[in-house]
Amino acid sequence: MQCNVIISGGRVVGLAVTLLHAVSMPAFAGSAVFPENGLIELVTWENGQDAYKIVHTCSLSGKSIHCDGSITIPEGQVKMSFALDGTVNGGNVELMGVGTTRYSAEACSATATSQDGFKLELDDSGHGSGTSMPGTLTWTGASAKCAILVGKAEQQPSAPMLATWRILDGVPDDDFGDQQTESALWKQLGQAEGPLARKCFEETFAKLKKPDNAEIKGRIETAAYQQHMVEVAIEAAKADDFDPNWLESAKSIGGSGGTKQRVTDTLAKGLPGLFGTLVRLSQKAYRLSNGINEKALLPKLKGKLYDAYAAERTQRPNDSPVEVLKDASTHVGSWEKVKTDLIKYFPGTNDNTREQAMAEYLAARFDFLAKVREVAANKEKHLADAWKNVANDIARIRSDTLDCMVR
């Protein structure tokens, strides 16, 4: 087997020997300042191995940080992806995680897992240095010609590292982020379009990212996100009760895991109760839909079941959604008829567990639909409320923008 490099935890190592290249770093101009909630790109590599840089997308929430990284090296047939979690303290970042390495060649293929981590000190110029933590890479699978690798472990001693970093706007998958906040705020200012106005507004908006403006930025961001939620709810409310596209609305509102959902959860904390409820309902409905064959299920749902459930739920808002659903089914036939038509499309070890899975899914989906329709029906009020609490902040931003324009 020819395997020249293996990537692990931000390091490039041989199968038996770690390549160490010590490089002295210049003194830092100042410690890095990260957004309290946002994204950064972190690039790490071992000193002297500039060709093997790993790119991480990291989400920040207070002093917590989560990074997803990957690298592909065609000449070595090596691919690796890994997730790291840790803490941020000023410019000091400490991360630990698990990686999966895949080596692929015509004669042999193999996989390995690693427990790795590193400590970095990042400066305000976008650079940094540190060391990797001792770890272990263990081969967990291999093709027949290199099956001898399985179970073997390689110890990885600490190694000096280099890094660069930068702040990222927005979040993956074009979801809500700084770009959407800036666009919504610009509309609220009501400023006439023009190159000078735009330039001064962008300069003013950029100042919101400074630590001493964190509270203002947080309020503006919450207002813009509430507006975003209303707009998504309006679109979701237009869908037929049993339109399969409802899942995309649930994902957009509640996130769908990873960075997207962590950003959503953080922003939702500042929203009024109705919107926090909508986030929770969307996450629950999306989670319960996993593994369900919607294309087979949806045609069976056509009818009056949603209307019956919504009417019953209005009368019994504090009762179990599942019990409300079962009682509502009597208005459109019977629960036994619903079970007969639908139960086979749900997971479970017996009819009782499948019935429970079906009832929980239907109730969660119907509750989500009812809530987006409630938001959409009162859209003008919700949009006005979103920006009402930040009127003073908007006035300050407008004043700073105008001051810039007359200088």
Side-chain angles (χ1 to χ4, degrees):
M1 172 184 177
Q2 296 295 318
C3 183
N4 299 320
V5 288
I6 292 295
I7 312 300
S8 182
R11 292 178 278 179
V12 179
V13 299
L15 280 176
V17 179
T18 300
L19 302 175
L20 299 176
H21 299 272
V23 175
S24 60
M25 288 290 292
F28 291 145
S31 293
V33 177
F34 304 117
E36 183 176 353
N37 296 294
L39 294 179
I40 65 169
E41 179 185 80
L42 178 64
V43 182
T44 60
W45 67 99
E46 184 190 320
N47 289 350
Q49 296 292 328
D50 290 13
Y52 305 115
K53 294 181 177 180
I54 299 180
V55 179
H56 317 253
T57 298
C58 304
S59 60
L60 295 147
S61 178
K63 292 187 176 298
S64 298
I65 181 171
H66 172 88
C67 299
D68 296 303
S70 63
I71 187 172
T72 299
I73 305 176
E75 66 269 25
Q77 297 90 32
V78 178
K79 295 182 179 180
M80 185 173 181
S81 60
F82 56 93
L84 304 170
D85 288 283
T87 57
V88 175
N89 185 9
N92 297 310
V93 178
E94 183 172 338
L95 289 157
M96 289 293 296
V98 177
T100 301
T101 301
R102 293 180 175 85
Y103 174 82
S104 178
E106 186 175 347
C108 175
S109 60
T111 59
T113 59
S114 55
Q115 297 285 339
D116 294 287
F118 50 80
K119 296 181 180 180
L120 298 172
E121 185 175 356
L122 304 175
D123 67 21
D124 57 6
S125 72
H127 298 84
S129 64
T131 58
S132 59
M133 299 178 189
T136 302
L137 182 141
T138 304
W139 295 97
T140 56
S143 58
K145 291 186 178 180
C146 49
I148 192 172
L149 281 175
V150 177
K152 291 185 178 295
E154 298 292 335
Q155 297 301 313
Q156 301 171 333
S158 178
M161 297 177 62
L162 298 177
T164 61
W165 70 277
R166 66 186 180 96
I167 294 175
L168 297 174
D169 285 341
V171 297
D173 302 325
D174 296 323
D175 204 68
F176 187 86
D178 276 357
Q179 183 177 351
Q180 287 77 9
T181 299
E182 183 175 352
S183 177
L185 180 57
W186 170 256
K187 292 179 181 178
Q188 289 298 313
L189 292 182
Q191 177 65 46
E193 188 69 60
L196 179 59
R198 272 287 181 178
K199 175 179 177 293
C200 286
F201 168 68
E202 289 173 0
E203 289 180 2
T204 302
F205 184 81
K207 294 176 183 177
L208 293 180
K209 299 179 182 181
K210 294 183 177 181
D212 55 349
N213 288 326
E215 290 186 8
I216 296 176
K217 185 175 187 295
R219 290 192 294 267
I220 294 291
E221 197 170 50
T222 297
Y225 188 65
Q226 184 172 337
Q227 175 179 309
H228 167 74
M229 292 272 286
V230 174
E231 291 169 349
V232 173
I234 291 170
E235 290 304 310
K238 295 177 181 177
D240 179 87
D241 298 347
F242 309 115
D243 186 337
N245 290 331
W246 80 277
L247 272 177
E248 294 306 311
S249 298
K251 286 168 62 179
S252 180
I253 290 174
S256 57
T259 299
K260 197 175 193 178
Q261 187 160 316
R262 282 189 294 276
V263 171
T264 298
D265 290 343
T266 298
L267 291 171
K269 291 178 181 178
L271 295 174
L274 171 64
F275 294 92
T277 300
L278 181 55
V279 170
R280 291 192 296 274
L281 287 175
S282 63
Q283 291 174 349
K284 180 179 180 181
Y286 179 72
R287 173 175 55 81
L288 290 174
S289 72
N290 287 338
I292 304 301
N293 185 343
E294 291 251 338
K295 290 184 179 179
L297 174 66
L298 293 178
K300 303 288 185 181
L301 285 172
K302 291 291 183 181
K304 303 287 188 180
L305 186 56
Y306 170 80
D307 289 339
Y309 175 82
E312 192 80 15
R313 196 83 165 98
T314 300
Q315 301 299 318
R316 302 160 56 186
N318 298 318
D319 287 2
S320 162
V322 170
E323 293 305 315
V324 172
L325 178 70
K326 290 180 178 180
D327 291 344
S329 68
T330 61
H331 300 294
V332 295
S334 72
W335 184 243
E336 292 302 318
K337 177 66 165 61
V338 173
K339 283 169 56 178
T340 301
D341 289 345
L342 304 181
I343 198 171
K344 62 184 177 181
Y345 298 108
F346 290 85
T349 56
N350 54 52
D351 282 352
N352 288 335
T353 57
R354 282 189 286 273
E355 177 184 351
Q356 185 66 21
M358 176 184 69
E360 289 179 353
Y361 163 79
L362 291 175
R365 176 173 178 159
F366 289 168
D367 279 343
F368 169 73
L369 287 170
K371 195 60 66 176
V372 296
R373 287 169 181 173
E374 179 184 343
V375 171
N378 298 281
K379 59 184 179 182
E380 289 84 3
K381 178 182 183 301
H382 292 313
L383 289 172
D385 288 346
W387 295 99
K388 179 174 62 178
N389 294 329
V390 292
N392 291 336
D393 296 322
I394 292 175
R396 175 179 168 181
I397 292 168
R398 181 184 292 110
S399 176
D400 288 350
T401 301
L402 294 174
D403 285 347
C404 166
M405 292 174 65
V406 298
R407 284 201 299 267

